[in-house]
Amino acid sequence: RKVLLSGFAATLLALSITQVRAMDEEADALYQEHCAVCHGEQRIGGLGPALLPESLGRLKKPQAIDVVANGRPASQMIGYQDVLGSDKVAQLVEYLYTPADVAPTWTEADTRATHKLFVDPGQLPDTPQHGSDPMNLFVVVEAGDHHVTILDGDEFEPVDRFQSHFALHGGPKFSPDGRFVYFASRDGWVSKYDIHNLTMVGEVRVALNTRNLAVSNDGKWVMVGNYLPGSLVILDAHDLSFVKEIPVIGQDGKPSRVSAVYTAPPRDSFVVALKDTREVWEFPYLDNPGFEPRRILADDFLDDFSFTPDYRYLLATSRKAKGGQVVDMELGKTVSEIPLPGMPHLGSGIYWQRGDQWVFATPNISQGLISVLDMSSWQLIKEIPTEGPGFFMRSHANSKYAWTDVFFGPNNEAVHVIDKQTLEVVRTLRPMPGKNAAHVEFSKDGSHLILSVWDKEGALIVYNSDTLEEVKRIPMNLPSGKYNVYNKINFAEGTSH
Ligand code: DHE
């Protein structure tokens, strides 16, 4: 590939300006034909990330060529080598590292201009206006036609269904009482929905390309982490009005994208992991917060991470690392390494009690195995083989099983059920043969769980979590994540936070 790239660069040098322009146009045409649908016509991102020099800082050109040619694991990105051939792949990559004619910008004024309230949040009844248990509702994201369903978690019947912004990603987050749910879309929109009144409250666009959001556990603030521009935006959780924008600049003076932002309830703070600079930022939010970051220097970039239940420790890996690091949030430094060989997807990791030991288990996106770690020593206890690399993992304090999917490869129709004490796979289910089965979420009491079959002609499948028998099947177009109100607002064991 090096030879190919330098050959391409040499060709570029030998060309006249007119010829270079023609090649740019050709590359732009290739981009519009093959890439724009996911990465946006202006390269500012959509389903996929932005593809501009500003956001490609950590990706060297040869790696970019590899991604365009061969695809990227753990994403929707497929390889284009067979479609385009080496020269066009190199031409396309050169184009991606060329600045846009008009640099994309998003300012506070843009954010303020997009803010809309559909109802006055203070005027709506503050008790549920539906007959379902408000604590046992599921919020279901339907990726196929960008909708959300609110599902009764006892009857497994829809209570409401509404259009969302394009490409919601990451878990929606709830107000501490479970009444409101906040969504972030990849293209920067934040929406607030009132579950008691089954109505959308308002929306605002905070960036061109957003990562995720978090809601403070006093219910007052929303923090949104962005890729483009690399920034954090604070909103008033009541009406989504703009409070503050914090450009993300590392101590090294370089701008950075945000990997993700989380609420750490026992610390009354937001914790932010950064993608292009080796830092973790913390923002305490009680008592008139000024939202100035406390900077913690880390040993590596933070692409994927998780927390211990008390939020004292942050576990993190970078996509390129062979292992991970444990950052002590109290001491403000990296205190330990974690032996994780298979590109762990720590964000989906879960913990549980095994005998008198607490364990943390995580899928790996480059190898078909679940890594199980002892949470006091961070030693690897076991690697549980699976039928292929997985993405999500889930359990519930009342269930003896942990569930994980096979998200990648030929066996992605399979989901494994793991005994939390023996750490053995006790059952492998193939809910809809030939279709990708992934991501489960348990009901409030853990008696049932819902699994997604990620297909245009897919389904939500409800299982009895003890007998593992199927209880119900609801046809759905690409259902992705599901979020139980009670489990989420209690930051329950076994679910994502
Ligand atoms: Fe996700 C959560 C990062 C690709 C579906 N994903 C998250 C979170 C992060 C993350 C940091 C936690 C945010 C939160 O919940 O607040 N995801 C990444 C990536 O870096 C990656 C690999 C590349 C990217 O394109 O961003 C990636 N993710 C995907 C997908 O391709 C998935 C399968 C389809 C999609 O919707 O884009 C996908 N990610 C999800 C889902 C969650 C998620 C469903 C919420 C899981 C949960 O249970 O909470």
Side-chain angles (χ1 to χ4, degrees):
R1 269 188 207 106
K2 265 189 188 137
V3 173
L4 189 154
L5 186 66
S6 53
F8 185 75
T11 316
L12 269 185
L13 281 177
L15 294 173
S16 70
I17 290 176
T18 324
Q19 284 170 310
V20 170
R21 278 214 190 104
M23 286 191 72
D24 268 359
E25 277 168 25
E26 207 182 312
D28 182 57
L30 285 177
Y31 176 86
Q32 297 303 336
E33 184 182 348
H34 299 287
C35 320
V37 62
C38 286
H39 297 277
E41 285 172 24
Q42 313 293 324
R43 291 193 274 152
I44 60 175
L47 265 182
L51 296 177
L52 290 159
E54 295 90 324
S55 56
L56 294 172
R58 252 178 80 194
L59 192 71
K60 305 264 178 306
K61 274 189 200 170
Q63 294 166 323
I65 289 185
D66 187 37
V67 175
V68 176
N70 304 315
R72 186 189 269 292
S75 77
Q76 320 283 320
M77 178 69 191
I78 54 164
Y80 285 87
Q81 179 66 31
D82 293 346
V83 184
L84 298 175
S86 299
D87 281 357
K88 283 189 174 159
V89 165
Q91 189 181 356
L92 196 49
V93 167
E94 201 63 38
Y95 172 74
L96 302 182
Y97 285 83
T98 310
D101 291 342
V102 181
T105 57
W106 192 260
T107 63
E108 178 186 331
D110 292 319
T111 296
R112 288 186 187 277
T114 60
H115 181 218
K116 270 187 235 126
L117 275 183
F118 304 119
V119 290
D120 177 348
Q123 295 303 311
L124 293 167
D126 56 11
T127 50
Q129 304 296 299
H130 52 75
S132 302
D133 173 0
M135 288 293 113
N136 198 26
L137 291 171
F138 286 83
V139 172
V140 180
V141 174
E142 296 176 44
D145 48 6
H146 311 285
H147 272 70
V148 171
T149 289
I150 307 292
L151 194 76
D152 180 308
D154 295 303
E155 303 299 326
F156 301 105
E157 287 293 333
V159 177
D160 192 18
R161 183 169 187 268
F162 53 92
Q163 178 98 45
S164 73
H165 273 284
F166 175 77
L168 298 181
H169 173 238
K173 299 291 150 67
F174 295 82
S175 59
D177 59 0
R179 171 173 169 184
F180 299 106
V181 56
Y182 300 81
F183 301 95
S185 72
R186 287 196 186 254
D187 58 359
W189 283 95
V190 173
S191 323
K192 175 177 179 176
Y193 175 86
D194 182 342
I195 306 179
H196 283 359
N197 292 286
L198 304 176
T199 190
M200 194 58 86
V201 174
E203 63 181 26
V204 60
R205 190 179 189 187
V206 300
L208 293 167
N209 197 255
T210 283
R211 248 353 235 168
N212 79 325
L213 63 75
V215 179
S216 62
N217 61 305
D218 61 4
K220 290 187 178 163
W221 312 104
V222 175
M223 183 180 260
V224 196
N226 304 310
Y227 262 12
L228 192 71
S231 68
L232 293 159
V233 173
I234 311 280
L235 303 171
D236 182 325
H238 179 66
D239 60 2
L240 297 183
S241 56
F242 178 89
V243 175
K244 183 170 181 178
E245 173 161 14
I246 304 150
V248 179
I249 310 285
Q251 276 196 334
D252 53 8
K254 291 190 187 142
S256 174
R257 293 166 295 168
V258 173
S259 281
V261 46
Y262 284 98
T263 304
R267 304 180 63 78
D268 295 312
S269 66
F270 290 123
V271 178
V272 180
L274 302 183
K275 210 169 180 74
D276 304 309
T277 189
R278 295 175 175 85
E279 287 174 47
V280 177
W281 287 8
E282 184 171 32
F283 294 86
Y285 46 64
L286 294 184
D287 309 326
N288 295 321
F291 293 111
E292 293 300 330
R294 167 191 175 214
R295 291 169 189 261
I296 297 172
L297 300 186
D299 283 2
D300 201 352
F301 302 107
L302 290 101
D303 287 321
D304 243 321
F305 47 92
S306 193
F307 294 90
T308 52
D310 57 2
Y311 284 82
R312 164 91 191 245
Y313 299 100
L314 183 155
L315 326 175
T317 51
S318 78
R319 288 273 148 75
K320 286 180 202 144
K322 292 273 175 280
Q325 51 177 325
V326 180
V327 177
D328 185 331
M329 294 298 298
E330 223 29 69
L331 298 179
K333 60 177 190 182
T334 300
V335 288
S336 182
E337 294 196 341
I338 344 177
L340 292 167
M343 219 199 252
H345 194 228
L346 290 178
S348 294
I350 57 170
Y351 50 83
W352 66 81
Q353 196 163 4
R354 178 176 180 244
D356 52 10
Q357 174 188 47
W358 280 89
V359 299
F360 178 84
T362 175
N364 289 274
I365 49 189
S366 69
Q367 287 181 34
L369 53 89
I370 300 295
S371 307
V372 187
L373 302 163
D374 176 334
M375 282 175 74
S376 54
S377 65
W378 297 115
Q379 294 304 305
L380 192 63
I381 302 171
K382 183 157 183 183
E383 289 181 336
I384 307 170
T386 59
E387 288 191 17
F391 212 75
F392 301 108
M393 216 173 159
R394 274 292 204 275
S395 187
H396 189 283
N398 296 342
S399 170
K400 49 185 188 249
Y401 302 122
W403 290 60
T404 188
D405 43 65
V406 176
F407 204 77
F408 306 100
N411 302 320
N412 72 358
E413 62 185 23
V415 283
H416 297 298
V417 182
I418 295 165
D419 184 304
K420 282 156 69 175
Q421 300 307 313
T422 64
L423 305 182
E424 299 290 339
V425 171
V426 289
R427 187 85 69 88
T428 296
L429 304 171
R430 297 176 195 279
M432 286 174 98
K435 296 185 178 180
N436 185 194
H439 194 280
V440 309
E441 172 80 327
F442 284 73
S443 59
K444 177 176 84 172
D445 63 1
S447 62
H448 292 82
L449 60 91
I450 309 180
L451 170 112
S452 293
V453 176
W454 297 51
D455 192 271
K456 282 187 177 153
E457 290 174 10
L460 287 183
I461 304 185
V462 183
Y463 289 92
N464 177 307
S465 63
D466 198 36
T467 63
L468 309 181
E469 294 302 318
E470 183 175 325
V471 172
K472 188 164 185 175
R473 195 171 276 226
I474 307 166
M476 211 171 260
N477 180 354
L478 273 168
S480 62
K482 302 151 302 292
Y483 310 89
N484 178 274
V485 173
Y486 180 87
N487 293 340
K488 289 292 158 214
I489 65 175
N490 287 290
F491 290 77
E493 178 187 317
T495 192
S496 63
H497 291 182

